[in-house]
């Protein structure tokens, strides 16, 4: 994101750029225990649209509730951002997210996130991309070898 394309975020927040997103998201996940998104919620538009492989959430209230449900389900959640880039009103992150749920081994999802910024600099759309089933089945006894065979048989 170039300096000219940075747009101010209301409420005296610093504009989102590659470095700020990296810093904020790293603070969210890289502590031991449950994640805390409270410091990034102000960067989201009231009309945020969040989408991933299993859901679409519209509106900040529902988005915050979704994040809180994930926090409640996870014993621990960590994210490692492996790559990040920005251009104009888009920021892309590649990540590894490791989750520990009650009575289950840790599960690592590999994916990426596209953040779209609105005219006021807030996030208006977040789209997360990941292969949920392959990453989860890696930790399910019997499915680790079965799932790839099913996928090969169905899709070549």
């Amino acid at each position: 994101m170039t300096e000219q394309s940075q747009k101010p975020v209301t409420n005296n927040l610093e504009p989102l750029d590659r470095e700020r997103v990296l810093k904020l998201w790293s603070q969210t996940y890289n502590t031991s225990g449950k994640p805390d998104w409270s410091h990034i919620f102000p960067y989201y538009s009231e009309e945020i649209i969040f989408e991933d492989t299993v859901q679409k959430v519209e509106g900040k209230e529902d988005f915050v509730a979704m994040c809180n449900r994930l926090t409640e389900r996870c014993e621990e959640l960590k994210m490692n951002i492996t790559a990040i880039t920005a251009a104009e009103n888009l920021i892309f992150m590649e990540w590894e997210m490791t989750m520990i749920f009650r009575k289950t081994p840790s599960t690592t999802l590999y994916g990426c996130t596209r953040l779209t910024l609105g005219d006021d600099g807030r996030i208006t759309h977040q789209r997360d991309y990941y292969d949920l089933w392959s990453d989860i089945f890696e930790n399910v006894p019997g499915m680790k070898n079965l799932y790839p065979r099913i996928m090969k048989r169905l899709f070549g």
Side-chain angles (χ1 to χ4, degrees):
M1 184 177 286
T2 64
E3 293 301 317
Q4 294 100 340
S5 66
Q6 286 187 4
K7 298 171 185 167
V9 175
T10 56
N11 293 339
N12 298 322
L13 296 173
E14 295 290 329
L16 286 175
D17 59 13
R18 182 186 164 283
E19 291 76 20
R20 186 154 295 105
V21 168
L22 184 59
K23 180 181 177 187
L24 290 170
W25 264 251
S26 294
Q27 291 172 347
T28 302
Y29 296 99
N30 289 338
T31 59
S32 292
K34 295 184 179 280
D36 177 14
W37 288 281
S38 61
H39 62 286
I40 63 171
F41 287 147
Y43 286 96
Y44 283 88
S45 165
E46 292 297 321
E47 292 79 36
I48 177 66
I49 297 172
F50 171 87
E51 295 178 88
D52 67 11
T53 59
V54 295
Q55 63 191 328
K56 180 177 182 179
V57 175
E58 297 185 35
K60 191 171 182 178
E61 185 177 326
D62 289 342
F63 175 73
V64 170
M66 176 199 67
C67 293
N68 289 337
R69 283 191 304 275
L70 180 58
T71 298
E72 290 170 17
R73 287 193 311 263
C74 288
E75 293 295 316
E76 189 171 329
L77 192 149
K78 293 182 180 179
M79 178 180 272
N80 178 33
I81 297 172
T82 58
I84 186 168
T85 189
E88 297 304 314
N89 68 332
L90 296 174
I91 299 173
F92 286 90
M93 294 182 282
E94 184 178 78
W95 43 261
E96 299 169 355
M97 183 185 301
T98 303
M99 298 179 284
I100 299 174
F101 297 101
R102 287 178 230 102
K103 300 179 184 177
T104 63
S106 66
T107 300
T108 301
L109 299 177
Y110 301 89
C112 63
T113 295
R114 180 189 72 220
L115 301 174
T116 304
L117 307 180
D119 290 337
D120 67 353
R122 292 181 192 265
I123 301 165
T124 59
H125 191 255
Q126 178 173 334
R127 177 63 167 103
D128 288 356
Y129 301 92
Y130 54 90
D131 180 2
L132 178 66
W133 300 115
S134 179
D135 294 336
I136 287 180
F137 284 154
E138 187 72 21
N139 291 311
V140 176
M143 291 302 291
K144 181 177 184 174
N145 296 322
L146 182 61
Y147 182 70
R149 289 196 311 250
I150 292 170
M151 295 304 289
K152 186 173 184 176
R153 177 174 281 159
L154 290 176
F155 301 108

